[in-house]
Amino acid sequence: MAESIELAVVGAGPAGLAAAGQAAELGLLSVTLVDAFALPGGQYYKQTPPELGGDAAPDESVRQLLAGVDQKAVRLLAGTSVWGLFPEDGAYILCLYGPPDTPRRLRARTVILAPGAYDRPAPFPGWTLPGVMTAGAALALVKHQHVLPGRRILLSGTGPLQLVLARHLIDAGAELAGVLDANPFPWSGWRHAGAVWGQWERLREGWESLRTMRKAGVGIRWSHRVLRATGDGRVEQAVIGPAGGQDASRQIAGGQDARGLEPGSAGETVPVDTICLGHGLMPAVQLSRLAGCEHRYQQAQRAYVPVRDERLQTTLEGLFVAGDGAGIGGKDVALWEGRLAALGAARKLGRDVAPDRVSAVDQALADQRRFAAVLDALFPSSAHMAGLLTDDTVLCRCEEITVGEIRRAVDEGATTVNAIRMLTRAGMGRCQGRMCGSSVAELLARELGQPLEAAGQATPRPPVVPIPLDGLIDNEEA
Amino acid sequence: MSTVKDERRLGPLEARQPLTIKVDGEPVPAFAGESVATVLLALGRQTFRHTDRIHAPRGLFCGMGVCFDCLVTIDGIENVRACMTPVEEGMVIETCCEPSAATGGHIHG
């Protein structure tokens, strides 16, 4: 028999920590927070290991969130993967794999998914070379592992996140070979003054990053990106150039998303040992998809996200999603969504929740969403550079399926991510399509002139993360 | 090991706890709290393995356990994610420079 609990929260980033803390405060019983990492915090509140001089809780807001987990009757299962989530008789079965004493199954009456996001893969010829990594990877290395990913580093992507990375790398003594933003300079920023008003903490962070960059003589090259990378066994040169038409990133439908760009586009060659890619984030929807709730394509996100009501409940009763896993909104949206989802779960479990509590959270959430929408408008997820991809570019990193193989499958009639997977194995590897799914959809859109959403979503299969075979066996039932 | 001149590690190393580990048979510097990926990158090693199908070099990519590119062999167990695994005293790490005979989907870490 699986252990029965009132609430399971999956993911200990901002949304999950806020949800678990709020749920415990509301008096929910047996709140269990499951997280894949050794230390809670997720990506945004990632903690530096104490052995590397990390303060367990670097600032007050994190201290409060972690205190909510430590003291208020929340059980934390760290280093534990959730590889399955299945509705069963008005509850949910969570399949876990973690350290030896971790329960293999939990039966939760309500579930809040707070899985967060991962860096949006942005393939180009040479992107599998060692030394090419995501901006998130580089930030975690320099900030929390106190190690430089390389000596001469090029940043290519969009938005404020890479400015934060640039500042940390400069402060750590790295030489920046350039900071490229695929979008044009955000001239239209003044139009959003109303939504930005009051967000002083964020404006200060942005300003400090720009100041550090200016002191180091590093400027941002707008409307530029890396076109390809070359090197013998690892990245040694990057070829950079214009990122396509001015409004390339706003062009949603297929075909014309990378105007002016084609394989072999001329560019400038820059010697580097590291390239960091920060082309926005992808919501991690694998568990919500596996559970079977409805997902809908969202243009602004260039991704399928779970459909939710105003209380953040999905189309499955008792299953809530909070934070970036339901569409990228950032840390503050995630914090408030976590709290709101906990209020919803409490109500679902029959607790009295004062209406003014909910409306206070609603108000705070609305302010944060307005700010998130500004960032979306100014720095849209860069258009995919499907136009740059040569036939020998590997698109599916796990199974090593090339663009050429996928184009051949398109010639054979494939129009969806699922069909491509069946014909080529792209998306069947260890990462379960997280690294290639969006790129396959972009390539299909370009090849067929169809909208991105027409490629559909890959059908998820358990386990949604690879686990050893013995992890599949339920010892308690065996 | 705290006196090692280190070009990639940031901050003072004196206060850190040095560990004795091996990478491909050679003893290398490592400190408690570091991930296996950090130890390799601090050595200037960007290539962690070669792929099965086309024998292409791979290293750290997503850094958060999603992409499964940074796989290495640790204490004889293949396909462990270097980015998610903290180093431990006595650990034996092998980076895979030849295609592995035993592949398939067997994943740890």
Short mmCIF file of all heavy atoms in Angstrom, two decimals, chain A residues 388-433:
data_model
loop_
_atom_site.label_atom_id
_atom_site.label_comp_id
_atom_site.label_asym_id
_atom_site.label_seq_id
_atom_site.Cartn_x
_atom_site.Cartn_y
_atom_site.Cartn_z
N LEU A 388 19.21 28.11 -40.02
CA LEU A 388 20.66 27.93 -39.95
C LEU A 388 21.09 26.48 -40.01
O LEU A 388 22.26 26.18 -40.21
CB LEU A 388 21.17 28.44 -38.60
CG LEU A 388 21.24 29.92 -38.34
CD1 LEU A 388 21.65 30.15 -36.91
CD2 LEU A 388 22.26 30.53 -39.29
N LEU A 389 20.14 25.59 -39.78
CA LEU A 389 20.52 24.21 -39.49
C LEU A 389 20.93 23.47 -40.76
O LEU A 389 20.17 23.39 -41.72
CB LEU A 389 19.36 23.49 -38.81
CG LEU A 389 18.93 24.13 -37.48
CD1 LEU A 389 17.68 23.45 -36.94
CD2 LEU A 389 20.06 24.08 -36.46
N THR A 390 22.14 22.94 -40.73
CA THR A 390 22.60 22.13 -41.85
C THR A 390 22.10 20.70 -41.66
O THR A 390 21.74 20.31 -40.55
CB THR A 390 24.14 22.12 -41.89
OG1 THR A 390 24.60 21.80 -40.57
CG2 THR A 390 24.68 23.47 -42.27
N ASP A 391 22.09 19.93 -42.73
CA ASP A 391 21.58 18.56 -42.64
C ASP A 391 22.36 17.72 -41.63
O ASP A 391 21.82 16.78 -41.06
CB ASP A 391 21.62 17.88 -44.02
CG ASP A 391 20.33 18.13 -44.80
OD1 ASP A 391 19.35 18.64 -44.18
OD2 ASP A 391 20.30 17.83 -46.00
N ASP A 392 23.63 18.06 -41.41
CA ASP A 392 24.40 17.23 -40.48
C ASP A 392 24.36 17.74 -39.04
O ASP A 392 25.04 17.21 -38.17
CB ASP A 392 25.85 17.07 -40.97
CG ASP A 392 26.57 18.41 -41.07
OD1 ASP A 392 25.92 19.46 -40.87
OD2 ASP A 392 27.78 18.41 -41.34
N THR A 393 23.55 18.79 -38.77
CA THR A 393 23.41 19.26 -37.38
C THR A 393 22.61 18.23 -36.58
O THR A 393 21.54 17.82 -37.00
CB THR A 393 22.67 20.62 -37.33
OG1 THR A 393 23.29 21.52 -38.22
CG2 THR A 393 22.67 21.19 -35.93
N VAL A 394 23.16 17.84 -35.42
CA VAL A 394 22.43 16.91 -34.56
C VAL A 394 21.32 17.68 -33.85
O VAL A 394 21.58 18.69 -33.19
CB VAL A 394 23.38 16.26 -33.53
CG1 VAL A 394 22.60 15.56 -32.44
CG2 VAL A 394 24.31 15.28 -34.24
N LEU A 395 20.09 17.22 -33.98
CA LEU A 395 18.97 17.90 -33.32
C LEU A 395 18.61 17.19 -32.02
O LEU A 395 18.43 17.80 -30.98
CB LEU A 395 17.76 17.96 -34.25
CG LEU A 395 16.86 19.17 -34.04
CD1 LEU A 395 17.60 20.46 -34.30
CD2 LEU A 395 15.63 19.07 -34.93
N CYS A 396 18.48 15.86 -32.10
CA CYS A 396 18.22 15.05 -30.91
C CYS A 396 19.58 14.62 -30.36
O CYS A 396 20.26 13.77 -30.94
CB CYS A 396 17.37 13.84 -31.27
SG CYS A 396 17.29 12.58 -29.98
N ARG A 397 19.98 15.25 -29.25
CA ARG A 397 21.32 15.02 -28.72
C ARG A 397 21.49 13.60 -28.19
O ARG A 397 22.59 13.05 -28.23
CB ARG A 397 21.61 16.03 -27.59
CG ARG A 397 21.54 17.48 -28.05
CD ARG A 397 21.69 18.43 -26.85
NE ARG A 397 23.01 18.39 -26.29
CZ ARG A 397 23.98 19.29 -26.54
NH1 ARG A 397 23.74 20.30 -27.35
NH2 ARG A 397 25.15 19.17 -25.98
N CYS A 398 20.41 13.01 -27.66
CA CYS A 398 20.52 11.67 -27.05
C CYS A 398 20.71 10.59 -28.11
O CYS A 398 21.62 9.78 -28.04
CB CYS A 398 19.27 11.36 -26.25
SG CYS A 398 18.94 12.50 -24.91
N GLU A 399 19.82 10.57 -29.09
CA GLU A 399 19.85 9.52 -30.10
C GLU A 399 20.69 9.93 -31.31
O GLU A 399 20.81 9.17 -32.27
CB GLU A 399 18.43 9.17 -30.54
CG GLU A 399 17.55 8.63 -29.41
CD GLU A 399 18.01 7.25 -28.94
OE1 GLU A 399 18.20 6.37 -29.79
OE2 GLU A 399 18.18 7.08 -27.72
N GLU A 400 21.22 11.13 -31.28
CA GLU A 400 22.05 11.67 -32.35
C GLU A 400 21.35 11.64 -33.70
O GLU A 400 21.88 11.15 -34.69
CB GLU A 400 23.39 10.92 -32.42
CG GLU A 400 24.12 10.96 -31.10
CD GLU A 400 25.52 10.40 -31.22
OE1 GLU A 400 26.43 11.17 -31.56
OE2 GLU A 400 25.66 9.20 -31.00
N ILE A 401 20.14 12.17 -33.70
CA ILE A 401 19.37 12.25 -34.94
C ILE A 401 19.61 13.62 -35.56
O ILE A 401 19.47 14.65 -34.89
CB ILE A 401 17.86 12.04 -34.66
CG1 ILE A 401 17.64 10.77 -33.83
CG2 ILE A 401 17.08 12.00 -35.97
CD1 ILE A 401 18.13 9.50 -34.46
N THR A 402 19.97 13.61 -36.85
CA THR A 402 20.33 14.87 -37.49
C THR A 402 19.13 15.54 -38.14
O THR A 402 18.08 14.92 -38.38
CB THR A 402 21.39 14.63 -38.59
OG1 THR A 402 20.80 13.80 -39.60
CG2 THR A 402 22.64 13.98 -38.03
N VAL A 403 19.34 16.81 -38.46
CA VAL A 403 18.33 17.59 -39.17
C VAL A 403 17.99 16.90 -40.50
O VAL A 403 16.82 16.83 -40.90
CB VAL A 403 18.85 19.02 -39.40
CG1 VAL A 403 17.96 19.79 -40.38
CG2 VAL A 403 18.93 19.76 -38.07
N GLY A 404 19.01 16.36 -41.18
CA GLY A 404 18.77 15.68 -42.46
C GLY A 404 17.84 14.49 -42.31
O GLY A 404 16.95 14.28 -43.12
N GLU A 405 18.05 13.70 -41.23
CA GLU A 405 17.18 12.55 -41.01
C GLU A 405 15.74 12.99 -40.75
O GLU A 405 14.78 12.36 -41.19
CB GLU A 405 17.70 11.73 -39.82
CG GLU A 405 18.96 10.94 -40.15
CD GLU A 405 19.61 10.34 -38.91
OE1 GLU A 405 20.38 11.06 -38.24
OE2 GLU A 405 19.33 9.18 -38.61
N ILE A 406 15.59 14.11 -40.03
CA ILE A 406 14.24 14.60 -39.75
C ILE A 406 13.60 15.16 -41.03
O ILE A 406 12.43 14.93 -41.30
CB ILE A 406 14.29 15.64 -38.62
CG1 ILE A 406 14.63 14.90 -37.31
CG2 ILE A 406 12.97 16.38 -38.48
CD1 ILE A 406 15.03 15.77 -36.17
N ARG A 407 14.41 15.83 -41.84
CA ARG A 407 13.87 16.34 -43.11
C ARG A 407 13.41 15.18 -44.00
O ARG A 407 12.38 15.28 -44.68
CB ARG A 407 14.92 17.19 -43.84
CG ARG A 407 15.04 18.59 -43.22
CD ARG A 407 16.00 19.48 -43.99
NE ARG A 407 15.97 20.82 -43.41
CZ ARG A 407 17.06 21.59 -43.22
NH1 ARG A 407 18.25 21.16 -43.61
NH2 ARG A 407 16.95 22.78 -42.69
N ARG A 408 14.16 14.07 -43.97
CA ARG A 408 13.73 12.91 -44.77
C ARG A 408 12.41 12.37 -44.26
O ARG A 408 11.54 11.98 -45.03
CB ARG A 408 14.80 11.81 -44.74
CG ARG A 408 15.88 12.00 -45.80
CD ARG A 408 16.67 10.73 -46.07
NE ARG A 408 17.46 10.30 -44.93
CZ ARG A 408 18.61 10.89 -44.57
NH1 ARG A 408 19.07 11.93 -45.24
NH2 ARG A 408 19.28 10.45 -43.53
N ALA A 409 12.24 12.36 -42.91
CA ALA A 409 10.97 11.88 -42.34
C ALA A 409 9.82 12.81 -42.74
O ALA A 409 8.69 12.36 -42.96
CB ALA A 409 11.07 11.79 -40.82
N VAL A 410 10.13 14.11 -42.84
CA VAL A 410 9.11 15.06 -43.30
C VAL A 410 8.73 14.73 -44.74
O VAL A 410 7.55 14.73 -45.11
CB VAL A 410 9.61 16.52 -43.17
CG1 VAL A 410 8.62 17.50 -43.80
CG2 VAL A 410 9.86 16.87 -41.71
N ASP A 411 9.73 14.41 -45.55
CA ASP A 411 9.46 14.03 -46.94
C ASP A 411 8.56 12.79 -47.01
O ASP A 411 7.79 12.61 -47.94
CB ASP A 411 10.76 13.75 -47.70
CG ASP A 411 11.56 15.03 -47.95
OD1 ASP A 411 10.95 16.12 -47.86
OD2 ASP A 411 12.78 14.93 -48.21
N GLU A 412 8.72 11.93 -46.00
CA GLU A 412 7.90 10.71 -45.99
C GLU A 412 6.50 10.97 -45.45
O GLU A 412 5.69 10.05 -45.35
CB GLU A 412 8.59 9.63 -45.14
CG GLU A 412 9.79 9.01 -45.84
CD GLU A 412 10.63 8.16 -44.89
OE1 GLU A 412 10.07 7.59 -43.92
OE2 GLU A 412 11.86 8.09 -45.11
N GLY A 413 6.23 12.20 -45.02
CA GLY A 413 4.87 12.54 -44.63
C GLY A 413 4.67 12.89 -43.16
O GLY A 413 3.54 13.16 -42.75
N ALA A 414 5.72 12.85 -42.37
CA ALA A 414 5.56 13.17 -40.95
C ALA A 414 5.25 14.66 -40.77
O ALA A 414 5.90 15.50 -41.39
CB ALA A 414 6.82 12.80 -40.18
N THR A 415 4.27 14.97 -39.95
CA THR A 415 3.92 16.39 -39.70
C THR A 415 3.90 16.71 -38.21
O THR A 415 3.69 17.86 -37.84
CB THR A 415 2.53 16.74 -40.29
OG1 THR A 415 1.55 15.93 -39.63
CG2 THR A 415 2.47 16.48 -41.78
N THR A 416 4.06 15.72 -37.35
CA THR A 416 3.98 15.95 -35.91
C THR A 416 5.23 15.45 -35.20
O THR A 416 5.98 14.63 -35.73
CB THR A 416 2.76 15.22 -35.29
OG1 THR A 416 2.97 13.81 -35.44
CG2 THR A 416 1.46 15.63 -35.96
N VAL A 417 5.41 15.95 -33.98
CA VAL A 417 6.53 15.52 -33.14
C VAL A 417 6.47 14.01 -32.90
O VAL A 417 7.48 13.31 -32.94
CB VAL A 417 6.51 16.30 -31.80
CG1 VAL A 417 7.59 15.78 -30.85
CG2 VAL A 417 6.71 17.79 -32.03
N ASN A 418 5.26 13.50 -32.67
CA ASN A 418 5.10 12.06 -32.45
C ASN A 418 5.50 11.23 -33.67
O ASN A 418 6.15 10.20 -33.55
CB ASN A 418 3.65 11.73 -32.07
CG ASN A 418 3.45 11.79 -30.55
OD1 ASN A 418 4.39 11.64 -29.78
ND2 ASN A 418 2.21 12.02 -30.15
N ALA A 419 5.10 11.70 -34.86
CA ALA A 419 5.42 10.96 -36.07
C ALA A 419 6.93 10.95 -36.30
O ALA A 419 7.52 9.93 -36.68
CB ALA A 419 4.69 11.57 -37.27
N ILE A 420 7.56 12.11 -36.07
CA ILE A 420 9.02 12.19 -36.21
C ILE A 420 9.68 11.23 -35.23
O ILE A 420 10.65 10.53 -35.56
CB ILE A 420 9.51 13.64 -35.96
CG1 ILE A 420 8.99 14.59 -37.03
CG2 ILE A 420 11.04 13.69 -35.85
CD1 ILE A 420 9.63 14.44 -38.39
N ARG A 421 9.14 11.15 -34.03
CA ARG A 421 9.73 10.27 -33.02
C ARG A 421 9.65 8.81 -33.49
O ARG A 421 10.60 8.05 -33.36
CB ARG A 421 9.02 10.45 -31.67
CG ARG A 421 9.63 9.61 -30.57
CD ARG A 421 9.15 10.03 -29.19
NE ARG A 421 7.77 9.65 -28.95
CZ ARG A 421 7.17 9.78 -27.76
NH1 ARG A 421 7.81 10.30 -26.74
NH2 ARG A 421 5.91 9.43 -27.61
N MET A 422 8.50 8.44 -34.03
CA MET A 422 8.34 7.05 -34.47
C MET A 422 9.25 6.71 -35.65
O MET A 422 9.81 5.63 -35.73
CB MET A 422 6.89 6.79 -34.85
CG MET A 422 6.03 6.44 -33.64
SD MET A 422 4.42 5.83 -34.13
CE MET A 422 3.65 7.31 -34.71
N LEU A 423 9.41 7.67 -36.56
CA LEU A 423 10.20 7.39 -37.76
C LEU A 423 11.70 7.49 -37.53
O LEU A 423 12.48 6.79 -38.18
CB LEU A 423 9.81 8.36 -38.89
CG LEU A 423 8.46 8.08 -39.57
CD1 LEU A 423 8.08 9.23 -40.50
CD2 LEU A 423 8.52 6.77 -40.35
N THR A 424 12.12 8.37 -36.62
CA THR A 424 13.56 8.64 -36.51
C THR A 424 14.17 8.30 -35.15
O THR A 424 15.38 8.28 -35.02
CB THR A 424 13.87 10.13 -36.75
OG1 THR A 424 13.33 10.90 -35.68
CG2 THR A 424 13.30 10.61 -38.06
N ARG A 425 13.36 8.11 -34.12
CA ARG A 425 13.80 7.97 -32.73
C ARG A 425 14.14 9.31 -32.07
O ARG A 425 14.54 9.33 -30.91
CB ARG A 425 15.03 7.03 -32.59
CG ARG A 425 14.78 5.59 -32.93
CD ARG A 425 15.96 4.72 -32.52
NE ARG A 425 16.23 4.77 -31.08
CZ ARG A 425 15.57 4.07 -30.18
NH1 ARG A 425 14.60 3.26 -30.54
NH2 ARG A 425 15.88 4.17 -28.91
N ALA A 426 13.99 10.42 -32.78
CA ALA A 426 14.27 11.71 -32.13
C ALA A 426 13.29 11.90 -30.97
O ALA A 426 12.08 11.84 -31.17
CB ALA A 426 14.12 12.86 -33.13
N GLY A 427 13.82 12.10 -29.78
CA GLY A 427 12.96 12.28 -28.61
C GLY A 427 12.75 11.02 -27.79
O GLY A 427 12.04 11.03 -26.80
N MET A 428 13.38 9.91 -28.22
CA MET A 428 13.21 8.64 -27.49
C MET A 428 14.36 8.35 -26.54
O MET A 428 14.41 7.31 -25.92
CB MET A 428 13.07 7.48 -28.46
CG MET A 428 11.73 7.47 -29.16
SD MET A 428 11.61 6.13 -30.34
CE MET A 428 10.97 4.83 -29.31
N GLY A 429 15.29 9.27 -26.43
CA GLY A 429 16.49 9.00 -25.63
C GLY A 429 16.30 9.35 -24.17
O GLY A 429 15.20 9.49 -23.67
N ARG A 430 17.45 9.50 -23.51
CA ARG A 430 17.44 9.67 -22.06
C ARG A 430 16.71 10.91 -21.61
O ARG A 430 16.10 10.94 -20.56
CB ARG A 430 18.89 9.72 -21.57
CG ARG A 430 19.59 8.39 -21.69
CD ARG A 430 21.09 8.59 -21.63
NE ARG A 430 21.76 7.29 -21.64
CZ ARG A 430 22.89 7.06 -22.25
NH1 ARG A 430 23.50 8.03 -22.91
NH2 ARG A 430 23.44 5.87 -22.22
N CYS A 431 16.79 11.99 -22.37
CA CYS A 431 16.16 13.24 -21.92
C CYS A 431 14.68 13.26 -22.25
O CYS A 431 13.98 14.20 -21.89
CB CYS A 431 16.87 14.47 -22.48
SG CYS A 431 16.27 15.01 -24.09
N GLN A 432 14.20 12.25 -22.96
CA GLN A 432 12.77 12.12 -23.27
C GLN A 432 12.24 13.30 -24.09
O GLN A 432 11.10 13.72 -23.91
CB GLN A 432 11.97 11.99 -21.97
CG GLN A 432 12.25 10.70 -21.22
CD GLN A 432 11.36 9.57 -21.68
OE1 GLN A 432 10.17 9.58 -21.43
NE2 GLN A 432 11.93 8.62 -22.37
N GLY A 433 13.08 13.81 -24.97
CA GLY A 433 12.61 14.86 -25.88
C GLY A 433 12.65 16.26 -25.32
O GLY A 433 12.25 17.21 -25.99
#
